[in-house]
Amino acid sequence: MKRFFAVLVALATLALGATAEAKLSIVATTPNLASVAKEVAGDDADVTALALHTQDPHFVDAKPKLALTLAKADLLISAGLSLEIGWLPTLQTGARNGDIQRGGKGYLDCSQFVKVLDVPEGKVDRSMGDVHPQGNPHYMYDPRQAARVAKGIAEKLAKLDPAHAGDYKKNAISFIKRLGKATKGWQKKLAKAKGAKIIAYHKSYPYLANWLGLDVVEHVEPRPGIPPNPHHVTHVLDVAKQDHVKAILQEAFYPAKTSEMIAKQAGLTVLRLPAAPNFKGGEGYIEHMSRVVNALAKVYQ
């Protein structure tokens, strides 16, 4: 009998130890946020991205397996500003995990940490296209905003997992320092691009433009999320020629046919930029931004 109870105590101790050492489960909506979260969490958490780097984060299929991932999550990290409004609420409901609902202890909207751009003035309605009422959600194209996000994630993780708070703070500081060093190099590499007039496909680049001093003079889409039409394409061609634009910037998941036609007629270069790091493939945020900068450098060095 004594031996039996000794075995039970040993098993219970092992179970408690396993629970105590269990890693946090972090789920981020985008690969950008997942990559930064991984930098901050280090070995103390498992990080998953819901969207793939090849997907438009506005439109992600709310598949049951993603809801299952959220059901087991300790923390859900979102970009906010309505970027995921078309699919994330469905997954949150299906997950039946109270902690990761908006306002829950395991929910983090990273837009609260950034300086939001393109906040609309006045009434916003669907006739204006896919306009985000709280501001533009594509802030991860600015490494300065990514640094703020890293700090915010570290603070949230410290509250959820106080035992590793020191690790999260240390990891965040290390990442921010490395990012700062890389940012200086990127800015030096693209110094000649400052003031350059560009055309973008979608309103994805106000933060990139703000960081590098670019001037977005027009968009291929007549309104956000609305496909280009012949009349607007003619207008974009006129702007490209009049303003001596050198490049059209667009994320790789958008169709390139119209942009390539404009580029051919106006003598431009189409830069199909990576929208996010290949998180599943092990690519980090700094490596991803290096690819963005290198693509721009081919035109503006």
Side-chain angles (χ1 to χ4, degrees), residues 18-87:
T19 301
E21 293 300 321
K23 293 183 178 182
L24 284 179
S25 174
I26 302 172
V27 178
T29 55
T30 70
N32 277 311
L33 293 174
S35 62
V36 174
K38 183 61 180 175
E39 293 279 4
V40 176
D43 296 329
D44 295 320
D46 293 319
V47 182
T48 303
L50 293 177
L52 299 174
H53 69 289
T54 54
Q55 287 180 303
D56 183 343
H58 295 89
F59 306 105
V60 175
D61 291 335
K63 296 180 179 179
K65 68 176 183 180
L66 298 183
L68 182 60
T69 299
L70 284 177
K72 303 173 183 178
D74 297 302
L75 175 63
L76 168 61
I77 301 175
S78 76
L81 302 176
S82 301
L83 177 68
E84 310 100 341
I85 192 65
W87 55 275

Side-chain angles (χ1 to χ4, degrees), residues 261-275:
M261 183 271 290
I262 294 171
K264 184 177 180 180
Q265 294 190 31
L268 314 181
T269 298
V270 178
L271 295 178
R272 302 189 72 191
L273 302 179

Side-chain angles (χ1 to χ4, degrees), residues 130-147:
D130 186 20
V131 174
H132 298 272
Q134 297 87 27
N136 193 293
H138 302 287
Y139 49 80
M140 293 298 284
Y141 279 111
D142 183 344
R144 300 170 301 181
Q145 308 296 346

Side-chain angles (χ1 to χ4, degrees), residues 241-252:
K241 294 173 182 177
Q242 291 169 9
D243 288 351
H244 306 288
V245 175
K246 289 186 177 181
I248 297 176
L249 274 56
Q250 70 174 74
E251 290 158 313

